Amino acid sequence: MVEIPRRRAMSGARAQVQVVGALFMREMLTRFGTSRIGYVWLLAEPLILGSMISLMHALSGSDLPNGLPTFLFYALGYTPFLMFRSIVARGSNAVNGNISLLFHNRITLLDTMIARNLMEMMVCFTVCLLFILLGMLIFGELPHQPALLVAGWFMSALLAHGLAMVIGSAMVVMEWVEHLVHPFTYLMMPISAPFYMIDMLPQGTQEMLLWNPLVSIHELNRWAMFGDRVIPHYDLVYVLAWIIGLNVLGMAGLRMARPRLSLSD
């Protein structure tokens, strides 16, 4: 059994940026290959999924209040949730999927996690920007608060990143946790408000759902996009507390998980 070495002290941030950059390119090549079709599919997959979901709701014939465009409402609700689900599902496997790389003392578990999750985040951001561009060209819809909208996407990514680290470190100790990840992310969809506004629900249901920090993020995103045509319900302090808590817990978990890994696993 060959023990995995730890990274030696070096020029901290610069070294980590170099390592994460190299791992990011490796993730891109591993997942999509060297052909241009692979990189086209990188954007096409979430773009098609978001478009199909929004089209299904548009064809249902149910209008949204205050003239909200159905396509943008559902596409910009589903795509950030798709990012959250992808980061949690794929990011949590970064630990077991990159054990061989940890033989290099410049690479840490955190590096592999950041590289994989950064790729998922950039894909989502690009697709969301494409949806907004379509909204501007077709519907004449401009984001109400563009900076706040991007901040909401970042918060969703950071929340998912922290959760992925927690789950990834737990999988090192309890392998059965891996089988719960996909059901968990699918069960999160109906209680995270990607397809509906909290203001449409009874007071008791609103209070219950707002315990989920993703609900606040989706509510913030909708207000940042559509402005006063929606009545938002969110608590940014609560969301930031979840983000900080999960990321601190996740980094501590990765630190504890590393000594348990070996190249024979």
Side-chain angles (χ1 to χ4, degrees):
M1 180 181 295
V2 181
E3 294 298 326
I4 295 172
R6 294 176 180 271
R7 179 158 69 190
R8 297 171 185 170
M10 53 188 311
S11 55
R14 182 180 178 183
Q16 188 165 28
V17 169
Q18 292 176 344
V19 170
V20 170
L23 290 173
F24 179 87
M25 295 305 299
R26 179 182 180 273
E27 287 288 343
M28 294 279 286
L29 291 172
T30 300
R31 185 170 169 188
F32 300 102
T34 57
S35 68
R36 293 181 181 178
I37 295 177
Y39 290 98
V40 170
W41 184 246
L42 175 70
L43 297 177
E45 181 182 10
L47 190 62
I48 292 172
L49 287 172
S51 299
M52 290 302 296
I53 291 291
S54 60
L55 180 61
M56 289 170 60
H57 284 275
L59 294 176
S60 67
S62 56
D63 294 328
L64 294 170
N66 299 323
L68 294 175
T70 305
F71 177 82
L72 276 181
F73 182 87
Y74 291 112
L76 292 178
Y78 178 71
T79 307
F81 180 81
L82 179 64
M83 175 187 65
F84 176 85
R85 183 168 63 84
S86 296
I87 289 178
V88 172
R90 294 193 174 109
S92 58
N93 284 315
V95 175
N96 292 329
N98 292 288
I99 290 179
S100 60
L101 294 177
L102 300 178
F103 182 75
H104 303 280
N105 59 19
R106 293 187 63 181
I107 299 177
T108 68
L109 287 173
L110 181 60
D111 294 332
T112 63
M113 191 76 72
I114 290 175
R116 182 169 292 191
N117 294 343
L118 186 63
M119 181 184 68
E120 300 292 343
M121 183 189 76
M122 291 181 65
V123 170
C124 169
F125 278 28
T126 303
V127 172
C128 284
L129 289 174
L130 288 174
F131 280 135
I132 289 175
L133 180 60
L134 289 173
M136 292 170 59
L137 295 175
I138 299 174
F139 305 106
E141 289 282 345
L142 295 174
H144 175 64
Q145 293 283 352
L148 194 59
L149 183 60
V150 174
W153 297 342
F154 268 113
M155 284 189 283
S156 183
L158 287 172
L159 185 72
H161 176 66
L163 184 57
M165 288 193 294
V166 171
I167 295 174
S169 55
M171 284 166 54
V172 174
V173 182
M174 302 170 287
E175 294 183 4
W176 52 267
V177 172
E178 180 180 2
H179 303 293
L180 302 180
V181 176
H182 283 285
F184 167 75
T185 56
Y186 280 109
L187 289 173
M188 283 289 290
M189 184 181 295
I191 62 170
S192 297
F195 301 134
Y196 56 88
M197 292 183 286
I198 291 297
D199 197 61
M200 298 176 173
L201 304 175
Q203 182 68 29
T205 306
Q206 292 181 20
E207 294 175 358
M208 181 176 62
L209 288 176
L210 283 170
W211 283 99
N212 179 356
L214 266 182
V215 172
S216 284
I217 294 175
H218 288 142
E219 288 283 290
L220 171 67
N221 289 345
R222 274 189 284 268
W223 182 81
M225 180 64 203
F226 302 114
D228 294 335
R229 283 183 289 172
V230 300
I231 302 175
H233 298 263
Y234 60 83
D235 186 342
L236 290 185
V237 174
Y238 180 70
V239 171
L240 291 174
W242 267 95
I243 290 173
I244 294 171
L246 283 175
N247 278 271
V248 170
L249 184 62
M251 287 188 288
L254 292 180
R255 189 176 183 86
M256 294 176 62
R258 180 147 189 163
R260 295 174 176 266
L261 295 171
S262 66
L263 295 181
S264 63
D265 289 341

